[in-house]
Amino acid sequence: MEILQKTIEQIRKEFGLAGGILVAVKEGKVLLKECFGMADAEQNRAVDNKTIFQIASCSKAFTTMIAGQLCDEGKMTWDTPVKQLMPEFRMMDKYAEEHVTPRDMACHRTGLCRHDVMRTFVREDRADLVRRIAYFPPAFGFREKYSYQNQMYVALGYLCERLTNKTWEQLLKERIGEPLGMDMYFRGIDSIEDKNAAMPYSQKDGKIYRVDEVVGKASNPCGGLYTNLDSLERWIRMLANGGELDGKRLISEKGFAELIKPNICIPGRSAHPQELQKSYALAWITAVYKGHPIAFHSGSTNGFNSMVGFFPEENAAFALSVNTVDTPAYNCLKYLLCDLILDDVDKDYSFLIEAYKRSVNLGPDYTEEETKTIPLTKTEAEKFLGQYYNPGYGMMEFVYQDGQLRQHYGLMDQEFHYLGEGKFVGFEVMDTRTYRANFTEDGNLWMRFSTDANCPIFFEKAK
């Protein structure tokens, strides 16, 4: 397909792009199914139909599919308070703790902001990760607004485990993978190094470079599934057909409809000017694209961007994944596939590349004051050094190295720049996150992360 090759080359020229997979189906027929580029650029190994890709947050729809099945079976409802199903569940906001439902968890309206940084401290115990939610301060009122949140999907996956006495990974394989004939692999459980797998890459100035794979199985229900092009085709055929494939129904028609019923408005504009009215359903963003209802979800993690979506009224769906981050590939290719389905393909998609360059800031969001850093001597640094504790995040350590304060936390080794008066600022390139540290006069610490709204986290200095 000429426009596809043209678009891939436009993206590759400006941003670098190792490889990818994409597929579109309509009324039971494949409109397009392609692999391109390198799964492993160092080994010159090409992508093929069986190359496994990390689909990141596109995994969330598998979690809600399982939960929807459990609703069909009467084991839960979307609107039962979680506390009734899992009595030990705790939140800092006590009203939210008593009233939060699986629906609230799955549509990001619990009042919590991302708190993703704490997941860089790799934990293998899912129950422990859910327990720590009790110590996350709310950024907003309960059900006040949409605020994307990963740990609540971990909690939803864990709830499904509690109701079935099976792990999330077992549930996916038995209830989705086997009926659909999908290959499934899981972060922190299956190694990608010894498989036909896409390696993760990032890019800078159009040059790709290898990055570390995300690890840690505890958070898999929010984004830990690996699969391949043939398997994604099976998944989207089922979605296009309203929950059924080859005579096997995964979820009732009523249950499937619930998955794509809008629950809360998503503010802001889409990348494409003809995609309007965005809301969040249950692991699906719903919108209207060129007059057609659409449900879709993206996924982003170290080295991978993915996108899965379907048109409920067209019996049509699409999926894609690329193994290079910080590129507009997954938006450009998403809309190309949508237009292919709607028989309205543009001659050029570079306007989406230009929109990406205008809207995406891959640098620090420092204020003018925070650009005026000053030198830090070892003597001045002494009072900031040591370990700091938060019951949700665990232990964080600060050391002095090469004239700078450095934060050690899980997989993080973050450099901080001194602003004076106990204030520091740092920028993490891979996650494009700005960090702010404010050491108090009594020796404790407030940390704030740019992905977490205005929601500082308190750390007490360990004695």
Side-chain angles (χ1 to χ4, degrees):
M1 187 179 179
E2 190 175 331
I3 183 59
L4 174 62
Q5 300 309 320
K6 174 184 173 181
T7 305
I8 289 170
E9 287 311 311
Q10 286 174 328
I11 298 165
R12 185 174 279 145
K13 182 178 178 181
E14 289 203 52
F15 296 92
L17 193 58
I21 53 176
L22 60 160
V23 58
V25 300
K26 187 173 185 178
E27 295 175 351
K29 297 178 181 178
V30 175
L31 300 181
L32 179 74
K33 184 177 181 181
E34 295 224 9
C35 315
F36 65 89
M38 292 293 124
D40 188 329
E42 290 77 23
Q43 300 297 321
N44 201 36
R45 177 167 55 82
V47 176
D48 63 41
N49 287 19
K50 297 297 184 184
T51 302
I52 59 174
F53 279 71
Q54 153 76 282
I55 66 168
S57 284
C58 293
S59 308
K60 287 180 169 69
F62 290 79
T63 300
T64 55
M65 179 64 75
I66 296 297
Q69 292 173 345
L70 298 183
C71 289
D72 279 350
E73 295 164 17
K75 292 185 170 66
M76 60 175 268
T77 79
W78 284 111
D79 299 305
T80 305
V82 171
K83 192 95 167 155
Q84 293 181 19
L85 301 167
M86 196 159 62
E88 74 276 22
F89 181 74
R90 299 284 185 274
M91 292 181 70
M92 196 173 280
D93 179 337
K94 293 305 171 186
Y95 180 86
E97 178 186 300
E98 292 294 331
H99 293 84
V100 69
T101 64
R103 185 185 305 278
D104 295 315
M105 288 176 158
C107 75
H108 309 293
R109 63 182 190 194
T110 63
L112 297 185
C113 56
R114 293 186 75 111
H115 294 287
D116 275 344
V117 171
M118 64 85 61
R119 294 191 300 128
T120 65
F121 198 107
V122 179
R123 295 179 173 88
E124 302 299 328
D125 186 341
R126 199 160 289 154
D128 176 62
L129 196 55
V130 174
R131 179 185 64 79
R132 292 173 185 274
I133 291 172
Y135 303 102
F136 294 168
F140 310 104
F142 178 52
R143 294 180 184 159
E144 176 188 346
K145 63 183 294 184
Y146 168 82
S147 179
Y148 196 85
Q149 220 284 332
N150 280 303
Q151 279 82 356
M152 281 299 181
Y153 262 86
V154 178
L156 180 60
Y158 180 65
L159 173 62
C160 293
E161 293 182 333
R162 289 285 300 273
L163 295 174
T164 59
N165 292 315
K166 293 186 176 182
T167 68
W168 177 84
E169 291 82 3
Q170 287 172 322
L171 291 170
L172 257 65
K173 282 195 170 185
E174 292 175 12
R175 288 170 169 259
I176 301 175
E178 291 173 10
L180 294 184
M182 290 183 68
D183 296 324
M184 290 182 168
Y185 304 90
F186 301 102
R187 181 174 61 200
I189 296 174
D190 299 298
S191 166
I192 66 170
E193 295 293 338
D194 59 354
K195 293 179 177 62
N196 174 13
M199 298 297 115
Y201 295 91
S202 187
Q203 66 87 22
K204 184 176 182 181
D205 300 326
K207 305 293 184 184
I208 63 170
Y209 61 94
R210 183 79 174 269
V211 296
D212 291 333
E213 178 194 5
V214 170
V215 294
K217 68 181 181 183
S219 60
N220 279 352
C222 72
L225 176 63
Y226 290 85
T227 191
N228 56 40
L229 181 58
D230 284 346
S231 294
L232 281 173
E233 182 192 336
R234 302 288 293 171
W235 172 242
I236 67 168
R237 280 181 180 275
M238 178 275 299
L239 295 171
N241 204 34
E244 184 178 344
L245 183 67
D246 298 337
K248 296 178 182 176
R249 177 156 285 283
L250 256 63
I251 188 171
S252 68
E253 291 183 24
K254 181 180 177 182
F256 188 84
E258 195 70 38
L259 298 179
I260 55 173
K261 184 174 77 176
N263 289 301
I264 192 163
C265 177
I266 300 176
R269 294 187 175 189
S270 293
H272 198 293
Q274 289 181 268
E275 186 176 84
L276 306 170
Q277 299 177 327
K278 284 199 302 182
S279 296
Y280 205 93
L282 299 172
W284 296 106
I285 295 171
T286 63
V288 175
Y289 179 67
K290 293 186 175 180
H292 300 265
I294 185 175
F296 64 92
H297 208 288
S298 63
S300 298
T301 189
N302 280 22
F304 295 95
N305 281 155
S306 302
M307 187 77 74
V308 176
F310 59 104
F311 290 89
E313 296 179 1
E314 310 293 331
N315 194 350
F318 62 90
L320 68 98
S321 187
V322 296
N323 60 331
T324 312
V325 293
D326 297 336
T327 87
Y330 66 148
N331 263 336
C332 292
L333 299 177
K334 167 197 168 182
Y335 293 113
L336 193 159
L337 293 177
C338 287
D339 290 347
L340 179 66
I341 286 168
L342 299 177
D343 195 22
D344 188 27
V345 177
D346 284 338
K347 294 179 180 179
D348 188 84
Y349 286 84
S350 59
F351 72 97
L352 291 167
I353 298 175
E354 295 307 311
Y356 178 85
K357 289 191 287 190
R358 287 194 303 271
S359 63
V360 176
N361 176 25
L362 298 178
D365 62 346
Y366 291 172
T367 64
E368 186 176 344
E369 178 192 23
E370 289 169 339
T371 63
K372 300 169 184 174
T373 59
I374 58 179
L376 179 70
T377 68
K378 187 171 185 178
T379 301
E380 290 173 317
E382 285 293 336
K383 62 182 176 181
F384 308 122
L385 306 184
Q387 294 185 319
Y388 294 79
Y389 178 74
N390 173 278
Y393 280 64
M395 199 71 79
M396 184 179 287
E397 184 179 19
F398 286 87
V399 301
Y400 184 76
Q401 183 180 328
D402 300 327
Q404 301 285 359
L405 195 70
R406 295 196 78 89
Q407 171 201 42
H408 291 167
Y409 178 70
L411 300 174
M412 290 172 57
D413 184 358
Q414 177 65 49
E415 179 180 280
F416 276 81
H417 303 286
Y418 190 39
L419 303 172
E421 299 180 347
K423 295 180 180 179
F424 293 80
V425 65
F427 177 67
E428 209 287 316
V429 175
M430 190 64 220
D431 286 325
T432 62
R433 262 194 292 243
T434 297
Y435 297 81
R436 294 173 174 89
N438 187 1
F439 293 88
T440 62
E441 290 185 7
D442 59 1
N444 296 315
L445 167 69
W446 288 94
M447 284 288 296
R448 187 159 77 84
F449 313 106
S450 61
T451 51
D452 280 357
N454 189 9
C455 187
I457 311 299
F458 179 75
F459 288 81
E460 186 174 13
K461 189 163 189 177
K463 307 300 182 188

